[in-house]
């Protein structure tokens, strides 16, 4: 039965890889919408993948969210990751502390005996504050590290769920509804064809920066995220997906 299951997942992974046009897809059994442990399993698989890619002194930029928090939870020191550096991919996005990129970044560094730098930016940012904050030497230094990251690891969310979780103001909600936003990642909201509908104003990684980064790993599972995952990958900036059976099966069904 174990081998049968392995084969079943090989086929699923291949299908998802083709649909989304990715280099690597890893699928873990179960559905993280239903069982909390599946999310930790996702985290473990994501960490295993990351570990294989890591070289000493690599910089890893990470986003927030509960899937990324699960990755942090499953991390352990690794010789591949000696002197690795963690940075948050983008500044404040309206998440609770435990889901913030800063928190997760510090936790990851602690687990892997690495270093970290944080982005201290108010949230949300006015245009004026934004322009002056990116001139701050402390912020500038971290922004440079983010742009030069060797690896990026990020979550993907359903647009509606994320807008609610961030207590998004009414006028922005209107934009998301009018633009038919389906997914969210890095503070960008996308429609079903992967077009940007709205972008949260904060410092850090811009979508364009991802094109220069060799390994961009998305960690997202649960049947409810299938559409969001499909939408996000339409704009083709990440090349690896760590997901679960629930999301994968729904994704195949819907395509
Ligand atoms: O807010 C950070 C973030 O990575 C979002 O970009 C993403 O949509 C969300 O978290 C995913 O969160 P979760 O893993 O809890 O679904």
């Amino acid at each position: 039965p174990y081998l049968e299951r392995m084969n079943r997942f090989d086929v699923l992974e291949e299908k998802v890889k083709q649909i989304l046009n990715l280099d690597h897809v890893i699928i873990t059994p179960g559905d993280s919408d239903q069982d909390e442990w599946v999310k930790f399993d996702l985290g473990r698989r994501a960490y295993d993948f990351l570990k294989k890619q890591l070289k000493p002194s690599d910089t890893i930029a990470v986003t927030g969210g509960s899937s990324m928090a699960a990755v942090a939870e499953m991390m352990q020191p690794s010789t591949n990751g000696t002197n690795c550096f963690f940075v948050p991919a983008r500044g404040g996005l309206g998440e609770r502390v435990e889901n913030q990129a800063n928190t997760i970044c510090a936790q990851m560094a602690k687990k892997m005996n690495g270093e970290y730098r944080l982005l201290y930016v108010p949230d949300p940012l006015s245009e004026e504050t934004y322009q002056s904050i990116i001139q701050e030497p402390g912020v500038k230094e971290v922004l440079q590290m983010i742009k030069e990251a060797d690896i990026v690891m990020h979550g993907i969310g359903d647009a509606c769920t994320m807008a609610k979780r961030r207590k998004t103001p009414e006028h922005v909600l209107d934009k998301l509804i009018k633009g038919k936003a389906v997914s969210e990642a890095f503070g960008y909201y996308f429609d079903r064809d992967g077009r940007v509908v709205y972008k949260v104003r904060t410092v850090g990684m811009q979508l364009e920066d991802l094109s220069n980064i060799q390994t961009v790993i998305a960690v997202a599972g649960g049947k409810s995220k299938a559409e969001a995952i499909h939408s996000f990958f339409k704009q083709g900036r990440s090349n690896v997906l760590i997901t679960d059976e629930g999301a994968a099966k729904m994704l195949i069904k819907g395509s």
Side-chain angles (χ1 to χ4, degrees):
Y2 179 72
L3 278 180
E4 258 172 42
R5 210 190 76 200
M6 284 303 289
N7 285 338
R8 192 157 60 91
F9 278 87
D10 280 355
V11 174
L12 261 189
E13 285 173 355
E14 202 48 48
K15 275 193 190 155
V16 174
K17 210 165 119 178
Q18 278 172 14
I19 296 172
L20 302 178
N21 192 21
L22 298 176
D23 294 338
H24 299 278
V25 172
I26 294 171
I27 299 173
T28 190
D31 186 328
S32 44
D33 284 346
Q34 274 156 33
D35 300 297
E36 192 61 16
W37 61 266
V38 179
K39 204 173 264 182
F40 288 100
D41 222 21
L42 266 188
R44 186 178 53 82
R45 300 294 296 268
Y47 171 60
D48 284 345
F49 185 87
L50 172 76
K51 207 167 49 181
K52 286 192 208 127
Q53 311 296 314
L54 268 183
K55 296 178 302 308
S57 306
D58 267 356
T59 300
I60 306 119
V62 297
T63 70
S66 62
S67 311
M68 292 304 295
V71 181
E73 189 63 38
M74 303 313 280
M75 283 183 161
Q76 283 166 12
S78 147
T79 41
N80 291 10
T82 322
N83 298 328
C84 58
F85 228 110
F86 289 88
V87 286
R90 292 196 82 203
L93 293 173
E95 292 267 27
R96 298 154 61 109
V97 172
E98 62 271 30
N99 275 337
Q100 281 171 14
N102 268 348
T103 312
I104 290 167
C105 170
Q107 267 165 359
M108 287 183 168
K110 192 172 165 200
K111 288 265 178 140
M112 293 194 65
N113 299 330
E115 301 247 4
Y116 64 91
R117 288 278 187 280
L118 303 180
L119 269 175
Y120 296 106
V121 289
D123 153 34
L125 279 179
S126 68
E127 181 62 34
E128 211 186 336
T129 320
Y130 175 84
Q131 292 303 340
S132 68
I133 225 163
I134 55 174
Q135 302 306 327
E136 283 294 323
V139 173
K140 250 184 170 170
E141 185 205 347
V142 185
L143 292 182
Q144 195 57 34
M145 291 183 74
I146 293 171
K147 285 193 195 297
E148 289 168 1
D150 300 286
I151 298 177
V152 175
M153 238 189 179
H154 69 94
I156 302 173
D158 164 73
C160 198
T161 311
M162 289 315 297
K164 274 193 210 138
R165 194 160 103 186
R166 292 175 174 158
K167 305 203 169 35
T168 306
E170 206 62 40
H171 71 279
V172 176
L173 282 180
D174 280 350
K175 279 188 190 162
L176 298 181
I177 294 166
K178 280 205 190 88
K180 297 197 173 74
V182 173
S183 63
E184 192 283 345
F186 299 101
Y188 289 78
Y189 287 84
F190 307 91
D191 68 8
R192 66 192 295 259
D193 298 315
R195 281 187 294 250
V196 177
V197 171
Y198 180 79
K199 172 185 169 187
V200 180
R201 183 161 42 210
T202 187
V203 298
M205 188 156 268
Q206 307 299 307
L207 210 49
E208 310 83 74
D209 299 331
L210 292 179
S211 318
N212 305 321
I213 294 167
Q214 218 170 5
T215 312
V216 183
I217 309 167
V219 187
K223 201 172 168 179
S224 64
K225 279 194 190 176
E227 257 192 285
I229 294 171
H230 203 218
S231 141
F232 173 76
F233 282 106
K234 279 277 167 73
Q235 45 82 44
R237 307 269 184 177
S238 305
N239 49 1
V240 184
L241 170 66
I242 319 283
T243 190
D244 61 23
E245 195 182 350
K249 286 191 170 157
M250 194 66 191
L251 218 148
I252 293 169
K253 221 180 181 178
S255 64

